[in-house]
């Protein structure tokens, strides 16, 4: 199972919106409603950011939103803030009843 | 408060074995699917394995199938990962995670496994 494809890095200025793509295949992303998204600060465990159902866990800002079209899912961060600097990963269930993560995207706030 | 405390990592030679543990508290452990996810140094997250609440349904990533065994002891609220025939490429931080409707909503602190001669 190959990892889902994400851009290695995305950057933006404070207040801007950025979008991180997550491209898979009809065997994973294309087969399910949404993917889940995780945020990881280096040296720490990942944290759930967007659920497979598109919901945000308690405490996650509504500046984060997820969407999907075909085999590509997207995470949008609006009103970018310095604290948003982190690594972001998507994750999808697969038709083999396994899971696959994305390659990860480093977000930099300029 | 949900907590998952991991133990069992360390240095092991290629071909060796190691067992990781993940002690859960603060939730009804026996009601949840659980996963192992790993992250090689400087690399991304990789899903390893998952197990259903009663241990009757298990799946693995192809890269570990036949070498790793996931299990759980619901009486002890503990998840395990038995790793055998370890390879240098298995070197990673291993995380246990709780599954809620497919979402990995709580994570252990991670434990480092280093496979080296």
């Amino acid at each position: 199972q190959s990892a889902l494809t994400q851009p290695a890095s995305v950057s933006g200025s404070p207040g801007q919106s950025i979008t991180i793509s997550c491209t898979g295949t009809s065997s994973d992303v294309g087969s399910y409603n949404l993917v889940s998204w995780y945020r990881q600060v280096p040296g720490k465990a990942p944290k759930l950011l967007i659920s497979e159902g598109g919901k945000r866990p308690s405490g996650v800002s509504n500046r984060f939103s997820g969407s999907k079209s075909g085999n590509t899912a997207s995470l949008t961060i609006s009103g970018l803030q310095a604290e948003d600097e982190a690594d972001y990963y998507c994750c999808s269930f697969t038709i083999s009843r396994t899971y696959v993560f994305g390659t990860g995207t480093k977000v930099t706030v300029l | 408060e949900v907590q998952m405390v991991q133990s069992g990592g360390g240095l092991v030679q290629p071909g060796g074995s190691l067992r990781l543990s993940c002690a859960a508290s603060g939730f009804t452990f026996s009601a949840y699917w659980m996963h192992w996810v790993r992250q090689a140094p400087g690399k991304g997250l990789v899903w390893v394995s998952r197990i259903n609440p009663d241990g009757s349904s298990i799946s693995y990533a192809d890269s570990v199938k036949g070498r790793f065994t996931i299990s759980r002891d619901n009486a002890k609220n503990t998840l395990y990962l038995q790793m055998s025939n370890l390879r240098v490429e298995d070197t990673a931080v291993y995380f246990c995670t709780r599954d809620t409707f497919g979402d990995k909503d709580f994570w252990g602190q991670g434990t480092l496994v280093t496979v080296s001669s």
Side-chain angles (χ1 to χ4, degrees), chain A residues 1 36 38 40 43-48 50-53 89 91 93 96-103, chain B residues 35 37 39 43-47 50 59-62 95 99 101-110:
Chain A
Q1 178 70 54
S36 52
Y38 301 84
Q40 185 182 33
K44 300 290 188 181
K47 289 187 176 181
L48 178 65
I50 301 286
S51 72
E52 286 188 354
Y89 295 89
C91 182
F93 195 46
S96 301
R97 309 198 71 75
T98 60
Y99 281 86
V100 61
F101 280 93
T103 49
Chain B
H35 301 255
V37 175
Q39 186 171 36
K43 302 296 184 181
L45 301 174
V46 176
W47 178 82
R50 72 166 181 166
S59 54
Y60 298 98
D62 288 344
F95 296 99
D99 180 308
F101 300 115
D103 302 316
K104 293 109 192 99
D105 60 352
F106 284 94
W107 296 63
Q109 83 277 17

Side-chain angles (χ1 to χ4, degrees), chain B residues 59-81:
Chain B
S59 54
Y60 298 98
D62 288 344
S63 58
V64 307
K65 200 175 296 182
R67 300 187 301 119
F68 289 12
T69 302
I70 190 172
S71 63
R72 63 193 299 160
D73 185 334
N74 287 341
K76 294 183 178 179
N77 291 338
T78 301
L79 175 72
Y80 301 101
L81 186 67

Side-chain angles (χ1 to χ4, degrees), chain A residues 30-49:
Chain A
S31 290
Y32 301 96
N33 285 338
L34 271 178
V35 303
S36 52
W37 288 90
Y38 301 84
R39 177 179 185 273
Q40 185 182 33
V41 175
K44 300 290 188 181
K47 289 187 176 181
L48 178 65
L49 193 64

